[in-house]
Amino acid sequence: MSLKTLVKLYRVARGDEKVGLAWKLVREAARYSIHEPYWEFLKKSFDVRAEDIKDALRFLEEHGEVQIKRSIDGKRLYVSTLKDIRENPVRLDRWLGLT
């Protein structure tokens, strides 16, 4: 499913379905996190705004699903968080909870 389609589905979803679609959107966006400059790459290649991906990450953080990395001055580091999700899709504690 394309990134643009996932953004549209995420916007209209409600409840548990929205959490699932947010994860799909974030994982799909994380696949491209190695491209620099990241937000311009998404806009040019997929016609997806940075705010759409950031909104999905904030939504997942509000629901306790993910923790967005922060810099020393408190700013959110979205791309670093996406790179971490790309490299480590399932955390060890979550993996142990699945077994």
Side-chain angles (χ1 to χ4, degrees):
M1 194 175 300
S2 75
L3 211 50
K4 183 95 172 158
T5 306
L6 283 172
V7 168
K8 288 179 182 178
L9 290 174
Y10 166 73
R11 284 185 193 159
V12 297
R14 299 285 179 249
D16 292 336
E17 182 185 5
K18 188 165 186 154
V19 173
L21 285 170
W23 267 117
K24 284 183 182 179
L25 177 61
V26 166
R27 285 190 183 116
E28 185 67 25
R31 291 179 59 203
Y32 306 105
S33 62
I34 57 173
H35 297 281
E36 293 290 333
Y38 179 68
W39 302 118
E40 291 175 19
F41 173 78
L42 285 183
K43 179 68 176 166
K44 186 169 48 168
S45 300
F46 301 104
D47 196 30
V48 173
R49 298 177 317 146
E51 283 304 311
D52 297 330
I53 306 300
K54 290 177 182 181
D55 182 51
L57 278 168
R58 285 189 297 259
F59 177 78
L60 288 173
E61 186 177 46
E62 289 171 6
H63 283 79
E65 297 282 327
V66 71
Q67 184 175 2
I68 298 173
K69 291 184 176 187
R70 303 211 184 243
S71 65
I72 294 173
D73 60 355
K75 292 183 179 179
R76 292 179 176 137
L77 302 173
Y78 295 104
V79 178
S80 296
T81 304
L82 288 170
K83 284 180 181 178
D84 191 40
I85 289 171
R86 180 178 180 270
E87 293 170 3
N88 305 309
V90 177
R91 294 275 182 217
L92 180 61
D93 56 344
R94 198 165 147 219
W95 181 77
L96 290 174
L98 295 174
T99 58

